[in-house]
Amino acid sequence: MTIKVLTDSCCDLPLDYMKRNCNHVELVGMPIHIDDMDFLDDLGEKTDLGAFYDKIRTGSMASTSQISPLVFEEIFIKNHLDSKETIYIGLSSGLSGTMNNALLAKNMVMEKYPDAKIHIPDIVSASIGQGVLVMHAISMIQKGKASDDIMNWIEENKFNTQHWFAVDNLEYLKNGGRISPAVAKIGTLLNIKPILTVDYEGKLKLYQNIRGRKKSIKFLASKLDQHLNSDATGKVLIGHGNCVNEAHTLKSMISDKVDEKDIVISNLAHTIATHVGPDMLAIAFVGGKREE
């Protein structure tokens, strides 16, 4: 029985990476609504990601919905009938009910097909942090590792997955209820750039406020210096909200610490962009334990 990794569009992995590894990974898209249009986030394969960013930059409000249990059920059954184990590496349960929907679907499938192999770890990660774990899992599959090995590795390393996000525009955090309108207004006046991370419950956490964009980018680089273990393996992901030049600036700051071939730059897809807005810059990697 072969192994198939299933992930959702919150993984923010590059589309070309997903296509190159389509034998090992499958994407399920989060539903997106903007203006009068509804679609599934496909990492920009058929939807114009640049046009989406243009819309939210000019004031359009986007929203996301959970992936339904029926969607997961269909995928799980298909994989089982194709003699494939499924490992769903999805958005943290601390940020969405989608994980619970996947668990509901697993229970429905197991009633019909008791021998189905479906694994659903709560990775307590999101966005490119989720993407890093997907890439590790795919690498392990390519090396011939069993599903138990992959699941054990995820459990041992999920709290070693580092996420650091530098948000450029406070308006989107305000709209999502992450900060109050008063804090957003004052922060904008003072040119505050919040740094977010993901805590032990898999929830977004305001870590620190930085004044100015250049300082916030340097802060991201410093967190790699602080938390990347000397024996760490795997990729370092740099995610950007349609600001590729700044992503390359961050890459140049860490290129003396990480082999260039191990640094992956990815444009954040529709789902995460909806909640953090354009111009967010982020870095993720597997390193030491998360900060409390």
Side-chain angles (χ1 to χ4, degrees), residues 5-7 11 13 17 25 87-92 121-141 150-151 153-163 234-235 237 284-287 290:
V5 171
L6 177 67
T7 191
C11 69
L13 285 168
Y17 171 86
V25 64
I87 302 177
Y88 172 51
I89 301 177
L91 179 63
S92 166
D122 189 350
I123 61 169
V124 292
S125 293
S127 186
I128 55 172
Q130 175 181 332
V132 163
L133 292 175
V134 170
M135 295 181 83
H136 272 275
I138 292 171
S139 177
M140 293 180 76
I141 292 171
I150 297 171
M151 289 293 291
W153 186 91
I154 290 173
E155 285 302 315
E156 290 171 2
N157 288 279
K158 63 185 184 181
F159 293 120
N160 297 335
T161 308
Q162 298 282 333
H163 315 60
K235 303 296 185 181
L237 262 64
F285 53 93
V286 177
R290 293 180 187 176

